Each structure stands twice: as C-alpha cells, then as structure tokens.
Amino acid sequence: MRDTPAADRIKFLRGLRVIRRFRPDPVPQEVVDDVLEVARWTGSSANRQPWELILVRDRERMDALSRIGDSPGLVPLADAALVLVPVLTRENAELDAGRLLERIMLAAAAHGVGASVAGFGSAIPEAKELLRVPDRHGLRVAVALGYPADERARLVSVERDVDTRLPLGNLPVGRKPLSRLVHFERYGSGPATEPGPTVS
C-alpha cells in the first residue's frame, strides 16, 4: 500500500498493543478529556449508550483494585496513571462494551498513552463494593492507562520472564496468518483448519 492517509491509519490500527508497564508520569487532563469524548461518541446498538465510566486516580483505590480479581498483579492497575472502569447500565450489552473498550484504547494510543484491560473475574462483587457500583449495573473490567515504561513495553503484549524469555504463562506472541483466518463463502473453504504456530 502506498504512503497514503489510509495507509497511516491502517498502520496505527495494526500497531495497537496492550501495555502493562507504565512510567509514573501523569496523563494531561486534555488527553483524558479526548479519551472520554471518544468514549462518549462510541457507537452502540440502537444508540442506547449502555455505559457510564468511573475515572479513578486515587492511588490507594487503584492499588486496591489491582489486588482483586482472578489474576491480581497481572495488569498493574496500581502503577497506571489512571484507571477507567466501564459500568454497564443495561443487560446484554457485551458487544457495546467491547466497542467501548477498543475505542478507549485507540484514543489513548493516538496520544501515545498505553492501555491494558484487567478483568475482575470472580471478584466482581468486591470491585462493585469498592467503587460503590449498584448491584443492578454490570461491571467486569477496568482499563489501566499510562505512558509506556519503555520501548520494550510496546514490543510485546505480555511480560517475559528474564531467564527463559518465554511469554508469561506461555501465552502466544504474534498473530495467525490470514490463510488460517479467512474462509471463502462457507466455513472450511479457505484456510487450513489444522492448528499451527502463531506468527508475527
């Protein structure tokens, strides 16, 4: 693809990575405002906008959030500059929630701010109590936001063990090739169906 505005945008979209290590620098308010505006304008089914956002900057509350959930410490909410917690105000809004999360991450990335999504898992009741979210509302994840700690934080999607150089929990790195993802007209007509290694 030639050097065009579309090519630049595709490169930006393809370059989005999860960031789990952050610098201590604060995120300027104008950047936060931009991210919130993009969240506000995210599309939703029938334009119901079934969400509200809790913005958390208090260090003690962020630390408390980082210690609950199925994988405490995996996503360092405590080290982020701020945390956004989507609260779903309608049932069956998971698709809309996914759109919102991706938009938040992309808006942050446009400003050079990294983002990571932490799931509360079985500790949702604890998270709701900590954030005073009503029982009738949905709460599943939090988004950590902050500037990447270093260039390495952008290069891999998971922390690596220094000794083994393997992804944390043996999670795969890279992406499957299109030949394994795209089917033509019907399932099984395109790519090979046998599993294979992931590639960059």
Side-chain angles (χ1 to χ4, degrees), residues 6 17-18 51 70 77 109 113 145 170-171 179 197:
R17 296 290 184 273
V18 169
W51 53 66
D70 293 335
L77 297 176
V113 174
L145 295 166
N170 293 323
L171 295 175
S179 62

Side-chain angles (χ1 to χ4, degrees), residues 37-80:
E37 275 297 309
V38 168
R40 186 170 78 90
W41 280 96
T42 297
S44 59
S45 176
N47 195 29
R48 290 190 176 100
Q49 304 167 57
W51 53 66
E52 297 174 25
L53 294 168
I54 302 173
L55 193 157
V56 182
R57 282 197 176 107
D58 179 76
R59 192 57 54 190
E60 289 184 11
R61 185 167 284 110
M62 289 162 61
D63 182 62
L65 283 172
S66 75
R67 287 185 276 107
I68 64 177
D70 293 335
S71 302
L74 179 61
V75 180
L77 297 176
D79 297 332

Side-chain angles (χ1 to χ4, degrees), residues 65-100:
L65 283 172
S66 75
R67 287 185 276 107
I68 64 177
D70 293 335
S71 302
L74 179 61
V75 180
L77 297 176
D79 297 332
L82 67 140
V83 172
L84 282 177
V85 184
V87 176
L88 297 183
T89 56
R90 294 179 65 96
E91 294 183 352
N92 302 316
E94 287 77 11
L95 176 59
D96 290 332
R99 295 173 70 181
L100 176 68

